[in-house]
Structure formats: C-alpha cells, structure tokens
Amino acid sequence: MKRLRWQILIVILALAAIAVILLTQRRAEQAAAPSASSTEVAGGPQPISGGIYTEGLIGSPSRLNPVLDFYNSVDRDVNRLIYSSLLRFDDRGLPVTDLAESWGISQDGTVYNFSIKEGARWHDGEAVTSEDVAFTAGLLSSPDLPIPEDIQAFWEDIEVKALNPQLVQFTLPEPFAPFLDYVTFGILPEHLLAEMEPEAIIDADFNLAPVGSGPYRFDRWLADEDRIEGLVLSAFDDYYGPPGFIDQIAFLYFDSPPEALSAYQAGEILGISRISNQVLNSALAEPDLRFYTGRLPEMSILLFNLDNPEKAFLGEMEVRKALMHGLNRQRMIDTLLMGQGIIARGPILPGTWAFYDGIELPGYDPDEAIDILRSIDFIIPAEGGRIRAREGEMLAFTLLHPEDEQNAVLAQFIQQSWLQIGVDVTLEAVPYESLIDSRLSRHIYDAALVDLTLFRSPDPDPYPFWHQAQITGGQNYAAWDDRPASEYLEQARLTLDLEERTRLYRNFQVRFAQELPAIPLIHPVYTYAVDDQVQGIRMGPVFDSSDRLAQAFTWFLLEQEEN
C-alpha cells in the first residue's frame, strides 16, 4: 500500500468465542515501550500545570478532520492533538496503545479485536464507542472523499464490526502483518456525522469546529477580518490519558520559514514547526532556540533498470558496486544539503525495529571502483578519461531525475562523481507524473534518481518495491528478480511474530547488500525548534511531522519552586 514519490495502504462472533480467537491481549512490544503515565521528571525540574505554548506552522489550514488531512501536513499537526487513534507508533516503529486498552489477533492472522479504554469521552462529553471506530473506518473506503486510492482500496476489503460498545473487530481477507499500520487513523464521532453523506462531510461545519477525544480540544480560531491567522486548543479535562501540563497550545500560520523565524524573534511564538535550510543559519544564531532533529521516513535512492538489454552492464552487481564506490555520499550531505541528512545504509529505515546494522554497503573509494571495473574486463584508458566496455561500447547511460532544483543539484553531483571514474552519464530532467507513469512503471530508463517516501508507514514492509511479483504492474521499478529476497518478504508479510519478522528482514537486508539492486543515498532529516523555556521535549525519528507532538502532554512551561 506504500507509494513512491519524487521531490519529494462471519457473522458477528459470539462473545464467548472471542476468548478463543484472541491470542494476546497486549502485544509484547508494548511492554518495551516507555510509560507515558509519569507526571514527574526524575532528577530534574518538577513540572506544574499552566501556561500557553504558541507555535508557528508553515502553511495554511484546510479541514480539521483526520479523514481529510492526507494532503495537508499542518492540519495533521493540529489533528494529532485533537483526535485519538486506536494505536500510535513509537519512534522505533512499534505499536503502542492510544484509545485501545488492548488488542488481540486470531491464530490465522485474519481477525483483529481492539478493546477501547473505559471512560474515554468526546470533547462534547459523549462516550467514545466501537461504533465511532467502525464509522470512521467505513469512511476511509469512500470514493467520495479525498482519500488516497490505495487507502480506499485497502479498506474496501476489510470487514469492520462493533461487537459491543467497547469492542471492535476487523476481519481481513488474508493474513497481513503490517495491518496495525492502518489503524492509526484519527477517530471521528459517529453521533455527530453519521447522518451526513460522505461527500457532505467535506464542507461540513464540523471541520471548522471539530470534536475529538484527544488530549486537547478545539477552543477558537484566531482571525483578522476574513483571514485565519491561527487557532487555540485547550487541555481536555476528561482525557483518558495523562493530562497535559500546558493549559493551552496555540498555532499561528505562516507562509514561509523566514516569516515564522521573524515571528519568533519578535516574541510572538515559542516554536517553529520546521527549520528549512533557508533559515537554518539564522535560526542557529538565536541563543535561546533549541533544536530537535529526527530522521524523516524518506530516502534518496538510485534505481537501475536491471532488465535493460541495451545497457546490460547495469544488470551486473560488480558494475553497481563500482558505481557506489564512486559516490561520496557524506560530501553530498555536507555540501548540498547543509548537513541536513544521514547516509542511507539499506532499504529499511535506520532506528526502526526492523533495521539490521550488521551490514556495510560499499563506501567512497574511487580507486577501488576503477579496480573493480578493470577486474571484469572493462578497458581503462591509460591516459584516463571515459571507460569502454568489453565490446568497445562506452560505459555510458542516461540518469533520469525529477525536475526540481534539489534533485537536479544531486544529479549533477552524481554525474561529476562518476565522470571521475570514467563513467559517462547524461542527465535528463523529467516531470513527476511522466517519471512514474511513462518511464519507471514501463521500465523505459537506464537509471533514475528518486525519493522513496514512507510517510505515515512505520511498518517497514519493503514488499511493494522489491518483490518479484511487483515487477509487472507494481512498484518494483528496478525489475529486481531475486527469489531469495522475495521469499523473505513474502514470509515477513504473513508472520505475526516480531522476532521472526525481524530475522526475515535481516536476511532480506543482507541479500540486498550482496546484490545491490539499487544504491541507497541519503535520508533527509526534519528539524524542529523551540525556545528553551519550554521543557520536557524529546523527539526521535519521525514518520510524519506531527510525530513531534506525540509527547506534548509531557511538555511544560512552569515548575515547582524549591523550598
């Protein structure tokens, strides 16, 4: 269900049978997750309630509705505090409970039951029930709402039932281990929206005066004449989880990072949602501004058409290894991205439970690159210059890249780097849609610089990009036809045991490193800045910018005075 983007998923069971179906009431990984119930900071200042935190968001509001926020990150930032989900994911990609008290999975992996926390209430005082969950899940399959097509298609095949007010059941057509990724949607109040047709929800007044069940409730908009400048959220007194220390959180909207930084310098806000390279140096000069940086769920990667008879040498692992030796990825980060990136080490995001750090991909070594090419009978001119292949053909090919400025700069760096080891590369900038639909999906290319984007997908599941079955009609644009790797991915999708899935993904990553079907380049990072008077902030790798607010209930502005 994941997507590749460039620039940037029988009858009602009797209650007596449910006990037989459930294997576990709480996944083992929950036990390893840090507790969120503590209201004290050990060995540090002791927070007390009070104060207002104001943050600048870069962008404009649209609809404060979690079913309608797929294409607006600033709406998702606000919705993260207003709405609840059955589950959330920690920064390692492991599921932890939110509105769900516990969950269980049937032995065959097709039935998931979630128990909702007792006492959970909507901001209008009504009880949250399983009917709310079933109602929201039903909206996700509606073709009348602006929901990504793959998400709609996924939910069309899922049967959702409210077994009783506190128990909701999802039945899948077949086992699918990454399913928990899909129950992190924000839950809507059925009692306020059920009478509306789905298309009517798009422009409903509810989207401007939302009612959720999260830690903060919508309070009011901040407007100047007809222009919305921001909004205010207030702590929800009846929240089922730990209460937030900060009484109110206000968001102000800005058109650009420089405008937000100016507002901070003027004392209008305490936090800036995104520090871009455009303002990085100026922001670093602010003495009271603290920075929190996390790896984004993205990767710049070089794909090769491994099934291109006109450039058959790209199908040779030794050639791809030599090309990787010819790239100084750290220099790319330092000089082109102002240090805002980390070197990619494989097809799975680092810092997550599935990442295996026991492998090393080829590092920068241009001499080794030339030695490898010479060892497989490529002709290296004594006077230097471009390499000829074994039948006299030049070692040359075309590199596609998205036509945005950043990818153009990266592509030029790659071109110059490979020229230094004798490889002649022609660059071709292609519009986003054409790159996917006309070239990659039809395998009409030699090599391509692309951005693999996994936003809001904590489960690694590399199946869509690397499995054999995805070569035709899928997203295996490299046409990597490798049976051992495909078997690991198949089995990992079916097993629910985390330890076994970890082993399978480790084996997959080892196989990827051996065959090197593509060259992972860089993971960009997300940088968030907050004034040092706001304490208790912690942030790890993020799967969406709204993840920075996941622990907002632990932030504080006031602390107890020492006696």
Side-chain angles (χ1 to χ4, degrees):
M1 295 302 161
K2 295 170 182 172
R3 291 285 182 186
L4 208 55
R5 289 194 285 132
W6 331 117
Q7 55 145 326
I8 56 164
L9 321 238
I10 321 146
V11 179
I12 295 178
L13 296 178
L15 295 181
I18 294 171
V20 177
I21 290 177
L22 302 185
L23 291 179
T24 59
Q25 285 298 324
R26 187 73 62 108
R27 300 304 302 271
E29 51 264 39
Q30 275 183 264
S35 171
S37 61
S38 174
T39 58
E40 294 188 352
V41 181
Q46 299 308 309
I48 58 175
S49 298
I52 301 175
Y53 167 70
T54 303
E55 178 173 303
L57 299 179
I58 315 302
S60 302
S62 179
R63 300 173 179 88
L64 298 182
N65 183 323
V67 171
L68 304 175
D69 68 6
F70 286 94
Y71 303 105
N72 191 318
S73 63
V74 298
D75 284 347
R76 292 199 301 273
D77 289 345
V78 179
N79 289 341
R80 184 62 177 262
L81 298 176
I82 294 177
Y83 295 97
S84 300
S85 300
L86 286 173
L87 300 179
R88 301 289 191 189
F89 281 81
D90 65 16
D91 55 19
R92 294 188 62 235
L94 292 172
V96 293
T97 58
D98 184 7
L99 184 61
E101 180 67 37
S102 59
W103 74 93
I105 309 171
S106 66
Q107 189 169 4
D108 66 359
T110 63
V111 179
Y112 288 70
N113 287 287
F114 292 84
S115 175
I116 295 173
K117 288 178 177 174
E118 296 245 0
R121 299 207 164 269
W122 293 104
H123 296 159
D124 64 2
E126 294 290 323
V128 180
T129 73
S130 58
E131 294 285 356
D132 298 307
V133 179
F135 167 73
T136 308
L139 291 177
L140 292 171
S141 64
S142 173
D144 297 320
L145 295 175
I147 295 170
E149 291 182 3
D150 58 314
I151 299 296
Q152 289 181 20
F154 178 83
W155 283 103
E156 284 177 357
D157 295 330
I158 308 299
E159 182 181 8
V160 187
K161 294 180 179 180
L163 299 182
N164 67 38
Q166 302 304 123
L167 193 63
V168 63
Q169 180 180 91
F170 300 85
T171 302
L172 284 58
E174 59 186 5
F176 184 57
F179 174 70
L180 293 179
D181 248 16
Y182 294 85
V183 295
T184 58
F185 56 83
I187 298 167
L188 290 167
E190 188 252 4
H191 68 281
L192 295 179
L193 298 172
E195 298 301 318
M196 295 186 185
E197 293 296 325
E199 62 268 25
I201 294 177
I202 297 175
D203 296 317
D205 292 341
F206 175 90
N207 302 324
L208 296 177
V211 174
S213 57
Y216 284 84
R217 61 176 178 82
F218 175 79
D219 190 310
R220 65 189 184 278
W221 290 100
L222 302 174
D224 181 12
E225 296 182 350
D226 294 332
R227 184 177 185 273
I228 292 177
E229 296 187 336
L231 58 82
V232 178
L233 306 180
S234 296
F236 180 41
D237 293 336
D238 292 329
Y239 181 55
Y240 56 81
F245 292 111
I246 297 176
D247 284 342
Q248 291 188 322
I249 295 180
F251 293 102
L252 299 182
Y253 297 103
F254 297 93
D255 293 332
S256 66
E259 290 184 25
L261 180 60
S262 295
Y264 169 77
Q265 293 168 334
E268 298 171 7
I269 59 176
L270 291 174
I272 303 172
S273 66
R274 178 168 56 88
I275 298 295
S276 67
N277 289 352
Q278 184 182 12
V279 298
L280 180 60
N281 288 333
S282 298
L284 288 170
E286 293 296 324
D288 298 325
L289 201 56
R290 299 293 174 261
F291 298 83
Y292 303 88
T293 299
R295 184 262 309 130
L296 282 169
E298 296 182 55
M299 176 169 59
S300 293
I301 187 169
L302 285 165
L303 299 179
F304 300 100
N305 186 351
L306 305 182
D307 189 28
N308 182 359
E310 295 183 1
K311 304 293 180 182
F313 54 80
L314 292 176
E316 299 179 38
M317 180 273 292
E318 294 87 350
V319 172
R320 300 191 297 273
K321 184 177 180 180
L323 291 173
M324 189 163 191
H325 274 306
L327 294 177
N328 189 335
R329 295 178 293 164
Q330 189 59 55
R331 187 179 177 192
M332 294 172 73
I333 294 170
D334 295 341
T335 61
L336 305 181
L337 302 180
M338 297 179 66
Q340 299 301 290
I342 59 177
I343 289 176
R345 296 177 56 195
I348 289 180
L349 297 174
T352 61
W353 62 266
F355 178 71
Y356 177 53
D357 62 2
I359 56 174
E360 289 293 336
L361 297 180
Y364 177 58
D365 190 339
D367 292 334
E368 178 66 14
I370 293 174
D371 288 344
I372 290 173
L373 294 173
R374 183 181 288 114
S375 72
I376 54 176
D377 300 327
F378 281 89
I379 300 171
I380 314 295
E383 69 279 7
R386 294 167 181 160
I387 295 172
R388 288 176 295 160
R390 285 150 293 204
E391 276 82 32
E393 177 188 11
M394 299 294 290
L395 184 53
F397 56 90
T398 298
L399 175 66
L400 306 183
H401 66 85
E403 58 183 2
D404 63 275
E405 181 179 354
Q406 179 167 300
N407 276 296
V409 170
L410 289 174
Q412 290 165 12
F413 182 97
I414 293 166
Q415 180 190 44
Q416 292 302 313
S417 298
W418 282 344
L419 185 60
Q420 293 176 17
I421 61 171
V423 179
D424 187 16
V425 175
T426 300
L427 301 182
E428 181 181 350
V430 182
Y432 165 74
E433 291 297 336
S434 298
L435 184 62
I436 301 173
D437 298 334
S438 301
R439 307 298 292 274
L440 295 180
S441 62
R442 298 168 62 189
H443 304 283
I444 303 176
Y445 76 102
D446 300 335
L449 170 65
V450 301
D451 294 325
L452 181 64
T453 304
L454 300 172
F455 274 95
R456 307 179 77 179
S457 299
D459 193 283
D461 190 27
Y463 182 101
F465 310 120
W466 307 112
H467 191 275
Q468 293 167 306
Q470 299 299 304
I471 294 174
T472 302
Q475 298 182 81
N476 185 350
Y477 301 129
W480 188 31
D481 190 8
D482 188 83
R483 189 59 205 151
S486 293
E487 287 181 350
Y488 297 139
L489 296 178
E490 290 169 11
Q491 296 170 34
R493 268 196 158 190
L494 298 176
T495 181
L496 299 175
D497 183 84
L498 189 67
E499 184 175 346
E500 176 62 10
R501 289 193 79 200
T502 302
R503 183 189 71 81
L504 290 166
Y505 284 139
R506 179 196 65 202
N507 293 346
F508 167 72
Q509 290 167 87
V510 169
R511 184 67 178 173
F512 186 99
Q514 291 170 344
E515 297 298 314
L516 205 66
I519 296 179
L521 296 175
I522 297 166
H523 297 293
V525 297
Y526 170 77
T527 301
Y528 173 50
V530 182
D531 191 89
D532 63 4
Q533 65 184 283
V534 185
Q535 301 184 62
I537 299 177
R538 50 193 173 91
M539 188 183 81
V542 297
F543 298 96
D544 186 72
S545 62
S546 64
D547 289 345
R548 72 183 185 279
L549 302 168
Q551 301 294 320
F553 60 85
T554 68
W555 302 1
F556 61 96
L557 289 161
L558 307 175
E559 57 186 279
Q560 286 183 341
E561 294 183 5
E562 295 184 6
N563 294 329

